[in-house]
Amino acid sequence: MLTIQQLEHNKTKFIETNKKYNIMTKELLDFLGDNLYISPASTRLSMVGCYPGGLLNHIIKACKYAIKVNEILPEFLKQPIPTIVKVVFLSQIGKVFMFCITENEYNKKQGIMYDFCDDIVRLRIGERSAYYATKYGVQLSEEEYQAILNHDKDEDDKMAKYFSSPLTSIIKWGFELAIMEEKNDIKKK
């Protein structure tokens, strides 16, 4: 769980980052509204970010790690920092309206705090994120679009696995490390 101060800190950090890197259009920000700041990252307590504000918290951590991964790569694989920041933040916006607080007491006892909202068309997170971004005027390069679509694809998707750009791998690693950090934080408590 995040405190009110942590929620506000993450919101401020995002607003500053968005202003610096011009990640989201005004139209996209208006569409997402305050839901961007309070959405969870997952449905279950056993997963990362299953709390109000968990999504933005997770994205901020993933961005930090993706930038650090980029720093250790050879020059020919490095990606521009603004591109990494843009793709990390945009790649998860498909989750913003995806989850609703569960009313089912049995689910709550099982650690399932959110249900999938039934009023949206089922898409993968990357697909919905790319849809929202492009619908609301965000211009994406082919590599940015590919990274948003492929970052959450399964390992058995050969096209995503073998033909993705370095940007996709950097984004994936950033999210993997953010998950590792949060899971280890949970174990410490």
Side-chain angles (χ1 to χ4, degrees), residues 52-118:
L55 177 60
L56 189 56
N57 197 53
H58 183 59
I59 291 170
I60 290 169
K61 287 178 186 179
C63 191
K64 172 184 74 172
Y65 283 118
I67 291 168
K68 288 184 183 291
V69 165
N70 192 57
E71 289 172 3
I72 65 169
L73 294 175
E75 284 303 314
F76 72 96
L77 291 176
K78 284 186 178 179
Q79 301 296 303
I81 299 299
T83 300
I84 292 170
V85 173
K86 177 181 182 181
V87 172
V88 169
F89 276 90
L90 290 174
S91 69
Q92 297 287 300
I93 62 172
K95 290 183 177 181
V96 171
F97 303 108
M98 189 175 281
F99 308 125
C100 307
I101 295 174
T102 189
E103 301 297 324
N104 185 316
E105 289 304 317
Y106 177 78
N107 282 355
K108 289 179 186 176
K109 289 178 185 171
Q110 301 300 311
I112 302 169
M113 308 313 288
Y114 297 90
D115 293 320
F116 286 92
C117 295
D118 289 329

Side-chain angles (χ1 to χ4, degrees), residues 58 62 65-66 69 84 87-88 91 124 146-157 159-162 164-179:
H58 183 59
Y65 283 118
V69 165
I84 292 170
V87 172
V88 169
S91 69
R124 295 182 70 83
Q146 180 193 61
I148 290 170
L149 287 182
N150 288 351
H151 87 278
D152 65 343
K153 295 244 174 114
D154 294 329
E155 287 295 314
D156 62 349
D157 186 318
M159 188 71 173
K161 185 174 184 176
Y162 295 116
S164 287
S165 71
L167 178 61
T168 300
S169 295
I170 292 166
I171 302 310
K172 279 185 173 189
W173 293 330
F175 279 105
E176 291 291 326
L177 291 166
I179 289 168

Side-chain angles (χ1 to χ4, degrees), residues 120-133:
I120 60 172
V121 174
R122 301 295 174 148
L123 296 171
R124 295 182 70 83
I125 296 158
E127 293 167 344
R128 180 166 297 286
S129 297
Y131 170 72
Y132 285 162

